[in-house]
Amino acid sequence: MAWSRYVAVGDSFTEGLDDPYPDGTYRGWADLVADRLGAKYANLAIRGKLFDAVAVEQVPAALAMKPDLVSFAAGGNDVLRRHCDPPSLMQRYDGVIKRLRDSGADVLVFRFADVMARLPGNKMIAPRIQYLNKSVGETAQRHGAKLVNLWGDDEYANPALWSIDRLHMSAAGHRRTAAHVLTVLGLEVEPTWWDIPPWPARKSWPAARTADVIWAGKHLAPWIKRRLTGRSSGDGILPKRPTLD
């Protein structure tokens, strides 16, 4: 099947952080997939967006473009919040996927890869991610969406597939994700997109703790500050590809 109108909605995962073009804008797996499809393409994803913002702001805009393919990936930012209620979140998620499928479009949904092993709060957040991933599979089956199962790919345990902030994918991670998406769509994949960089050399305990301290100061502390002040990394950011034309 050929798709001619593809719209991507979501957060930083779909916006393309951290896979920069030479000019500093972001590419990411969705751009790679769109190039392979040769379809008219809009990417409405904005970093930091919570599920309800994606559902209210991006989904109606996507449907207005009358796509025949939509990728939907949201909820990852929600499970990082203390007061997240996963059952309620996934009930709303199910409704959004039904709405997208009722439009006649094919819909791509994602089981997220495991990033929490390298981040603080794993004991609290990992069960939420597992619940989300399980529910995504059930929703996909219920509504006939196409499931991209990154959770089932153990290669994402390789730190080289992730950026320095330990949360967003590197260029190699985005290429591998694009390969998964194209495989689910039944399309040919550039073989090198499956390539896995070598694992980084194991650091000594002192070097690893120093790296943790640097990471916390540069990435964790600003994230905590945004939570305390009610701000988002996506404030003031516009969609990078807001139209299909």
Side-chain angles (χ1 to χ4, degrees), residues 12-56:
S12 58
F13 169 75
T14 302
E15 185 185 347
L17 276 68
D18 280 316
D19 179 21
Y21 284 111
D23 66 359
T25 59
Y26 292 107
R27 176 175 49 189
W29 65 264
D31 281 21
L32 294 169
V33 168
D35 287 345
R36 175 65 181 83
L37 291 173
K40 290 187 175 181
Y41 168 53
N43 189 328
L44 306 182
I46 296 177
R47 69 198 73 171
K49 290 295 182 181
L50 297 174
F51 176 88
D52 289 335
V54 174
V56 171

Side-chain angles (χ1 to χ4, degrees), residues 182-234:
L182 291 172
T183 298
V184 168
L185 293 176
L187 298 175
E188 184 179 353
V189 176
E190 166 59 47
T192 60
W193 291 0
W194 292 113
D195 291 349
I196 298 295
W199 277 64
R202 187 178 181 86
K203 293 183 174 70
S204 66
W205 190 92
R209 299 296 76 74
T210 298
D212 288 343
V213 170
I214 294 172
W215 169 80
K218 187 173 182 180
H219 300 288
L220 180 60
W223 185 88
I224 293 173
K225 182 178 180 180
R226 289 195 298 270
R227 298 292 78 72
L228 294 175
T229 57
R231 299 181 60 201
S232 166
S233 58

Side-chain angles (χ1 to χ4, degrees), residues 114-245:
D114 184 8
V115 302
M116 290 310 302
R118 302 182 306 280
L119 296 174
N122 185 51
K123 290 184 179 179
M124 177 181 73
I125 296 171
R128 297 178 181 179
I129 296 176
Q130 292 167 5
Y131 182 93
L132 184 151
N133 280 336
K134 178 178 181 293
S135 298
V136 166
E138 294 169 351
T139 290
Q141 185 173 23
R142 186 177 301 118
H143 299 299
K146 298 180 181 294
L147 177 63
V148 182
N149 185 17
L150 306 182
W151 180 263
D153 184 351
D154 292 339
E155 295 292 353
Y156 283 96
N158 184 343
L161 293 183
W162 301 91
S163 75
I164 193 170
D165 72 1
R166 306 183 184 181
L167 185 61
H168 298 105
M169 291 185 295
S170 65
H174 280 284
R175 290 194 298 270
R176 189 168 184 87
T177 299
H180 275 288
V181 172
L182 291 172
T183 298
V184 168
L185 293 176
L187 298 175
E188 184 179 353
V189 176
E190 166 59 47
T192 60
W193 291 0
W194 292 113
D195 291 349
I196 298 295
W199 277 64
R202 187 178 181 86
K203 293 183 174 70
S204 66
W205 190 92
R209 299 296 76 74
T210 298
D212 288 343
V213 170
I214 294 172
W215 169 80
K218 187 173 182 180
H219 300 288
L220 180 60
W223 185 88
I224 293 173
K225 182 178 180 180
R226 289 195 298 270
R227 298 292 78 72
L228 294 175
T229 57
R231 299 181 60 201
S232 166
S233 58
D235 290 347
I237 302 293
L238 297 176
K240 66 177 184 178
R241 297 180 184 271
T243 70
L244 289 175
D245 301 321

